Amino acid sequence: MTQQELLAKAAKKVTENQNKIEKDSNRLQFHLMPPVGLLNDPNGLIHFNGVYHVFYQWNPFETAHGAKFWGHYTSYDLVNWQEQPPALAPSEWYEKNGCYSGSAVEADGKLILFYTGNVKNENNERETYQCMAVSTDGIHFEKKGPVVYLPEGYTAHFRDPKVWKQNGIWYMVLGAQTESEDGQVVLYESNDLENWKFKGPIAGGNLNGLGKFGYMWECPDLFRLSGKDVLLISPQGIEAEKHRYQNLFQSGYFVGNWNSEKNVYEHGAFVELDHGFDFYAPQTFEDAQGRRIMYAWMGLTDEHEAYQPTIKNGWIHGLTLPRELALKGNKLYQKPVEELKQLRKSTDFNGQVSLENEKWSDLTGSISELAIDIQQLNVKMLSITIRDNLKLIYHQDQGLLNLERKTFKDGTPETRSCELASLRKLHIFIDTSSVEVFLNDGEEVMTARFFADPAEQKISVSANGQVEMFIEKWSLQAFPK
Ligand code: FRU
């Protein structure tokens, strides 16, 4: 099908499903979602001519993975978003099974996308092409076709170009799998964005002192922050260890120093970015104010996917809130961008709360922001229960925060954990069927989807012991759609 035919077919799918989708009480109100079908990775994040662009992996035709389009939203303030025509549809031979993930840069006043053309050939073997598309208005893109081909020594799991400029040179990192099934990040460089030179791996399993570390690394992103080089990756094939790597796939980072001339990246240990259930394939960009902002897919291709209740209404998944990154020592801190304060519609509660072996249930709301400042804590457990579905339980003696939710399949509880030596602050965003919990000013974050009974609105706090805290709670508004 031509790009036009694919776009027309997708538009029809949107219209056909609109009524049903709009009535879904699990629809997110201040997060980006697909108008229909499946969304996964954020792509092409850029602040271009004063406009924030968020593209995303989109399968308009099913609530399953398939030949991805690039859906597109724009905003002036990271809060109010406008849906734009899809930027890319998989119409050409080099991308016929999906315009897979990638990034955006600005060059000569143009917005340029790099993405992976995913192909399954006649023998059902995978082929991969790193492609380029160019736009003058930021809305309509002209495809230029492949600019990077698979080098020797790698399987066709070679994708997700992230491009940037440093000291006058263009660089591209890609997620890769070696023929011996190690995950790697490889680097290319270019002077003109069209001719790319392979420089080799910069990090990977069995490299730089790291042992075996999964079988594939997806969605790399290398950027400078506070004088260091941070590399984000989404590795696959890491075994769970006590409280770490509990999801099927991980997302995290290394902090180090990258010598671009020698192409050597010395880095520390891998650190997970999020400790909830639903966080994957993060990507960052630098905006005009010099902030490093990250979005991630608030989902995962795991066993939960097929049970998400929104599937029956024709859509699935969303993106996280935009989070500003800061590096303190060798630790990344994440905080929701300032602009999100614009979402605050009314203050529902603002005051001191002291609890001693009791439960406090004065708060309600499913589109809410909650800021809890803990002044004194002497408990066995401090628990916050959200809408009779999701629980945050801090075990002070173990220094462990558990996030518990009801499984989508049959409602039995399941848990993710985060080691936290002390709990001083919780900043929680609840958006109908999602929660993002920022701990101690973004030291750790836990992100999850959860599907509560729409009638159940209560938020309660209970202390098994004694707690002194200051609580602020706002009702948030939906961004106009
Ligand atoms: C990560 C990922 C990427 C790929 C895209 C396809 O979730 O698997 O590696 O480009 O999704 O939608």
Side-chain angles (χ1 to χ4, degrees), residues 38 40-41 43 57-58 65-66 68 99-102 116 159-160 216-219 234 236 280-281 297 301:
L38 176 141
N40 56 302
D41 313 353
N43 291 156
Q57 286 288 284
W58 184 36
H65 297 268
K68 302 286 166 62
C99 299
Y100 273 14
S101 285
T116 298
R159 54 179 171 261
D160 310 335
M216 168 65 188
W217 289 11
E218 295 187 313
C219 300
S234 293
Q236 301 185 320
Y280 194 64
W297 171 24
T301 35

Side-chain angles (χ1 to χ4, degrees), residues 30 156 164 180 201 254 293 402 416 443 469 480:
F30 57 92
W164 76 102
S180 50
F254 301 101
I293 298 170
N402 285 341
R416 292 290 180 267
E443 181 186 337
M469 55 199 163

Side-chain angles (χ1 to χ4, degrees), residues 328-447:
K328 298 187 187 163
N330 280 337
K331 171 102 185 142
L332 272 185
Y333 279 65
Q334 303 170 47
K335 69 165 194 224
V337 297
E338 279 293 305
E339 287 92 329
L340 293 170
K341 289 182 179 156
Q342 291 173 44
L343 290 167
R344 292 174 184 170
K345 190 165 66 177
S346 59
T347 305
D348 306 336
F349 185 85
N350 181 339
Q352 191 70 25
V353 177
S354 310
L355 302 177
E356 193 166 345
N357 293 318
E358 63 194 303
K359 182 168 169 185
W360 181 74
S361 316
D362 283 11
L363 304 177
T364 56
S366 55
I367 307 168
S368 304
E369 181 185 346
L370 196 58
I372 304 180
D373 243 318
I374 298 178
Q375 296 131 353
Q376 264 188 54
L377 189 67
N378 186 6
V379 290
K380 192 164 171 354
M381 281 191 304
L382 179 74
S383 331
I384 301 169
T385 305
I386 299 170
R387 304 182 57 207
D388 192 32
N389 185 296
L390 194 104
K391 279 191 186 130
L392 285 161
I393 307 170
Y394 186 60
H395 297 268
Q396 195 174 15
D397 53 346
Q398 296 169 45
L400 198 68
L401 186 81
N402 285 341
L403 171 73
E404 193 182 289
R405 74 173 177 194
K406 292 186 177 168
T407 48
F408 310 156
K409 188 178 173 193
D410 56 18
T412 51
E414 56 180 345
T415 305
R416 292 290 180 267
S417 304
C418 172
E419 287 173 11
L420 204 64
S422 72
L423 177 62
R424 288 171 275 110
K425 275 188 187 181
L426 295 116
H427 191 182
I428 304 174
F429 287 82
I430 303 164
D431 187 0
T432 66
S433 57
S434 78
V435 69
E436 281 156 285
V437 184
F438 296 84
L439 300 156
N440 298 345
D441 290 315
E443 181 186 337
E444 303 293 351
V445 190
M446 299 181 96
T447 302

Side-chain angles (χ1 to χ4, degrees), residues 234-245:
S234 293
Q236 301 185 320
I238 315 274
E239 296 284 316
E241 279 173 18
K242 207 171 179 208
H243 304 306
R244 298 168 77 194
Y245 315 143

Side-chain angles (χ1 to χ4, degrees), residues 8 14 22 28 31 80 103 120 142 145 162 189 219 260 269 276 321 349-350 364 374 394 406 435 439 442 477:
V14 174
E22 277 173 8
L28 301 164
H31 285 80
N80 297 287
S103 56
K120 291 269 171 74
E142 191 191 331
K162 178 81 185 348
E189 70 176 48
C219 300
S260 59
L321 288 175
F349 185 85
N350 181 339
T364 56
I374 298 178
Y394 186 60
K406 292 186 177 168
V435 69
L439 300 156
Q477 61 201 9

